[in-house]
Amino acid sequence: IVHVRDGVCYVMDGTNGIRLIPQVGTKASVGDMTEAVGFPDIQYPYDSPILTLREALIRWTGHRPLPTPQIIASDDLVNRGHDSTLVQTEASLLNSSTYGAEQVLELQTGTRFYFARLELASGHIPRLPAGSRLEVTGVYVFNSDESNGRQDVGPFDLLHNSPTDIRVLALPSWWTAQH
């Protein structure tokens, strides 16, 4: 399990990802090894499918560290094949806000805009100035109205497990028109 949020477990096997929606509430944790059985739901079955196992019965088989994230380039950002997998990319910070129980970073990589989300219960990302260059690691969640009802937000979100998933590469230049 590479991430747990809102009753959904994001699970990786090698480089493939799948969403598990347990039949009953689960106390799954990041790093848990699992076996699951349930009802498959396949979106976009012919081109980079998004796989979900609904009403899943889960059996825990151990615990291990998270896999190494897949590094994705700016030209490969919008790709359903990354769904439910741990990825890493570089981005520019546009804004940072708190909405409800999560901290949201508005990011830009190349020409793509997207959100990175961290639940406040997992920690808090220190305030960073807009224009900061970041390396972000998170679980890629492709947004579609069928999978999670969030198509209007952006093509995908990154879900962070902790504030350590964000690394500052460079702060914006102090030399501005104001200075």
Side-chain angles (χ1 to χ4, degrees):
I1 296 178
V2 292
H3 191 77
V4 179
R5 175 176 270 237
D6 299 331
V8 178
C9 300
Y10 298 90
V11 180
M12 281 183 67
D13 183 16
T15 59
N16 300 315
I18 187 171
R19 301 173 191 201
L20 296 179
I21 301 175
Q23 186 178 39
V24 293
T26 182
K27 292 189 169 119
S29 299
V30 172
D32 284 348
M33 299 289 297
T34 64
E35 292 179 350
V37 62
F39 297 99
D41 180 4
I42 303 172
Q43 295 177 37
Y44 314 106
Y46 302 108
D47 180 31
S48 300
I50 295 177
L51 306 172
T52 304
L53 202 57
R54 297 188 182 280
E55 297 185 40
L57 294 174
I58 300 174
R59 182 175 74 138
W60 283 263
T61 60
H63 194 82
R64 73 164 33 159
L66 291 180
T68 303
Q70 177 185 359
I71 297 171
I72 53 177
S74 62
D75 61 344
D76 190 32
L77 272 178
V78 181
N79 181 342
R80 285 190 305 264
H82 297 309
D83 186 68
S84 302
T85 63
L86 192 62
V87 299
Q88 184 177 76
T89 191
E90 290 185 15
S92 295
L93 177 67
L94 302 175
N95 191 25
S96 176
S97 305
T98 301
Y99 296 104
E102 67 181 5
Q103 188 173 7
V104 179
L105 302 180
E106 296 174 42
L107 301 174
Q108 179 179 3
T109 298
T111 59
R112 297 290 180 183
F113 299 92
Y114 55 97
F115 294 133
R117 301 173 184 278
L118 175 68
E119 291 179 326
L120 292 175
S122 301
H124 192 272
I125 302 164
R127 183 124 178 106
L128 297 168
S132 296
R133 190 88 185 125
L134 307 175
E135 179 183 77
V136 291
T137 302
V139 174
Y140 185 104
V141 178
F142 185 80
N143 290 327
S144 75
D145 55 348
E146 294 176 28
S147 63
N148 58 8
R150 300 181 67 167
Q151 185 175 14
D152 60 325
V153 180
F156 68 94
D157 287 347
L158 286 183
L159 305 179
H160 299 298
N161 289 316
S162 76
T164 59
D165 289 344
I166 292 99
R167 189 168 68 102
V168 178
L169 300 176
L171 293 173
S173 175
W174 174 84
W175 193 253
T176 63
Q178 185 180 18
H179 290 111

